[in-house]
C-alpha cells in the first residue's frame, strides 16, 4: 500500500510540531499493508526527528528506558487498521498536555490516511473505467466503418434512383453523426487521471461483449470476409480470401474482434491499391493470417506495436488509439493462442507476397469457449 506525496507532506508537518518537546525521543508513523495470509504488517513511512532512520524505526531496541516510555496509537477507521503512530518518550506516564497533542495528531493522520486511500482507490476505478470506455469506443469504429462501406456501395448501385438515393444519403448522414458522437466520447477520456493508470490492466473484452456459445469458423469469419471484400471493392484493391474454411469451433466474440482489428489495420495502414488477404491453415493448430503487400513494419517496431497505446511510425499521422494490436494479442493469449507479426508473408506460405506484413493468429486445434 502506497500513500501520496500530499499525505507525506501533511505527515511531515504534523510531526514537526513536536520540536518543542525535549522529553519526546521519537515518533514513527506506520501504514498497514495486507499480507497474503490476511494479516496486516506495519511499514514505516515517516518519522521524527528527521535524523532517525526508518530502518531504526521498524526495529525495537533493547534499551529498557526507551521501551518503558514507548506506546502505540492505532490509526483505525472503524474496524479497519490503517496504520499506527509509535511514540517514544523518556518516561511514563506521559504529561497530560503531550497526551492530548499526540491523540489529536493520531486522529488527524487517521482521517488524512483514510481520505488518501479512498482517493487512490477512486482514481484506480476511474482509470479502469476510462480504459474500458476507450476500448468500447475503439471497437465501435469497426461496425461504423462497415456501415459506411456498405452504404457507399449501395449508393453506387442505386445511381440514378433519386427516390432511394435520398434514403441512403440519410443513412450515411446518420452514420457520420454517430461517428462524431463516438469521437466526442473518446475525447472525454483525455483528461488526466487522479493517479497513475499504469496498473497493467488487461484489455480483455467486457463481459457484456463476450459470447457464451461456441461458433463455427464459418459463422465467425463470414461477416468479416464480406465486409473486407466490400471495403476492397470500394478502395479499388485486390482482396483474397480462403476458398474453404476448416471445421473449427471457438469463442466467436474473441476471434471476431481479433480478425476485425487485424483487417482494419491492413486496410488503414497498407499502401493504397495494394493487395490484402486472409490465409487459413489448419493442422495441429488453427492459423489465420491477415497479410498485406507492404510496406513492411520496421524491424525495431515489430514487437513494440503490440504494446498498449503504441503505434507504428507508418501510421503516426493517421487517427488511432494504439489499442487494436494490444487487444488482439491479449484475446489470443486468453484462448491459449498467440498473435505475431511475420515478415515477409511468403515465409509462411510461398503463395503469399514476398513483401509486406503478415499477422498470424495461431489457436489450439480445439478451442471451444
Amino acid at each position: 500500500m502506497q500513500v501520496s506525496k500530499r499525505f507525506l507532506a501533511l505527515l511531515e508537518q504534523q510531526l514537526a510540531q513536536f520540536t518543542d518537546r525535549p522529553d519526546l525521543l521519537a515518533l514513527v508513523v506506520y501504514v498497514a499493508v495486507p499480507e497474503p495470509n490476511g494479516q496486516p504488517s506495519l511499514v514505516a513511512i515517516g518519522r521524527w526527528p528527521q535524523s532517525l532512520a526508518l530502518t531504526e524505526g521498524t526495529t525495537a531496541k533493547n534499551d529498557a528506558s526507551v521501551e518503558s516510555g514507548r506506546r502505540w496509537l492505532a490509526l483505525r477507521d472503524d474496524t479497519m487498521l490503517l496504520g499506527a503512530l509509535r511514540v517514544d518518550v523518556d518516561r511514563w506516564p506521559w504529561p497530560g498536555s503531550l497526551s492530548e497533542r499526540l491523540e489529536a495528531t493520531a486522529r488527524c493522520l487517521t482521517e488524512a490516511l483514510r481520505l488518501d486511500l479512498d482517493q487512490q482507490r477512486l482514481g484506480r476505478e476511474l482509470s479502469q473505467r476510462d480504459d474500458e470506455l476507450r476500448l468500447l469506443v475503439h471497437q465501435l469504429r469497426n461496425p461504423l466503418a462497415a456501415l459506411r462501406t456498405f452504404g457507399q456501395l449501395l449508393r453506387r448501385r442505386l445511381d440514378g434512383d433519386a427516390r432511394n438515393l435520398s434514403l441512403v444519403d440519410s443513412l450515411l448522414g446518420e452514420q457520420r453523426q454517430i461517428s462524431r458522437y463516438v469521437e466526442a466520447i473518446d475525447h472525454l477520456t483525455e483528461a488526466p487521471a487522479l493517479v497513475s493508470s499504469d496498473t497493467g490492466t488487461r484489455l480483455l473484452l467486457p463481459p457484456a461483449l463476450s459470447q457464451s456459445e461456441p461458433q463455427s469458423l464459418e459463422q465467425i469469419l463470414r461477416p468479416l470476409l464480406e465486409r473486407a471484400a466490400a471495403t476492397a471493392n470500394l478502395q479499388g484493391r485486390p482482396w483474397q480470401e480462403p476458398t474453404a474454411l476448416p471445421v473449427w469451433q471457438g469463442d466467436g466474440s474473441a476471434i471476431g474482434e481479433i480478425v476485425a482489428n487485424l483487417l482494419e489495420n491492413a486496410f488503414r495502414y497498407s499502401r493504397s491499391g495494394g493487395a490484402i488477404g486472409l490465409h487459413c491453415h489448419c493442422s495441429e493448430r488453427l492459423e489465420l493470417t491477415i497479410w498485406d503487400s507492404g510496406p513492411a513494419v520496421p524491424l525495431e517496431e515489430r514487437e513494440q506495436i503490440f504494446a498498449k497505446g503504441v503505434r507504428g511510425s507508418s501510421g503516426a499521422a493517421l487517427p488511432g488509439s494504439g489499442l487494436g494490436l494490444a487487444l488482439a494479442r491479449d484475446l489470443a493469449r486468453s484462448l491459449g493462442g498467440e498473435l505475431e507479426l511475420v515478415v515477409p508473408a511468403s515465409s509462411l506460405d510461398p503463395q503469399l507476397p514476398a513483401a509486406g506484413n503478415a499477422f498470424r493468429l495461431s489457436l489450439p486445434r480445439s478451442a471451444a469457449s
Side-chain angles (χ1 to χ4, degrees), residues 5-26:
K5 293 182 179 179
R6 183 166 55 181
F7 175 80
L8 292 177
L10 173 67
L11 170 61
E12 184 176 347
Q13 293 175 357
Q14 286 294 310
L15 299 186
Q17 65 174 303
F18 292 96
T19 55
D20 63 331
R21 301 294 309 207
D23 54 342
L24 190 59
L25 303 179

Side-chain angles (χ1 to χ4, degrees), residues 256-333:
E257 293 295 342
I258 296 171
V259 175
N261 276 302
L262 296 178
L263 287 172
E264 180 192 13
N265 285 351
F267 280 106
R268 177 180 294 180
Y269 300 122
S270 64
R271 63 180 178 86
S272 178
I276 290 176
L278 185 144
H279 180 265
C280 184
H281 175 73
C282 192
S283 56
E284 295 182 358
R285 293 173 69 87
L286 172 67
E287 294 183 356
L288 301 175
T289 302
I290 288 79
W291 56 266
D292 62 64
S293 52
V297 175
L299 180 61
E300 64 275 10
E301 297 179 5
R302 292 177 187 174
E303 187 61 27
Q304 297 175 2
I305 57 176
F306 287 99
K308 177 182 173 182
V310 176
R311 304 177 64 209
S313 56
S314 61
L318 299 175
S321 60
L323 293 177
L325 289 177
L327 170 64
R329 175 172 278 185
D330 188 18
L331 290 172
R333 290 176 174 175

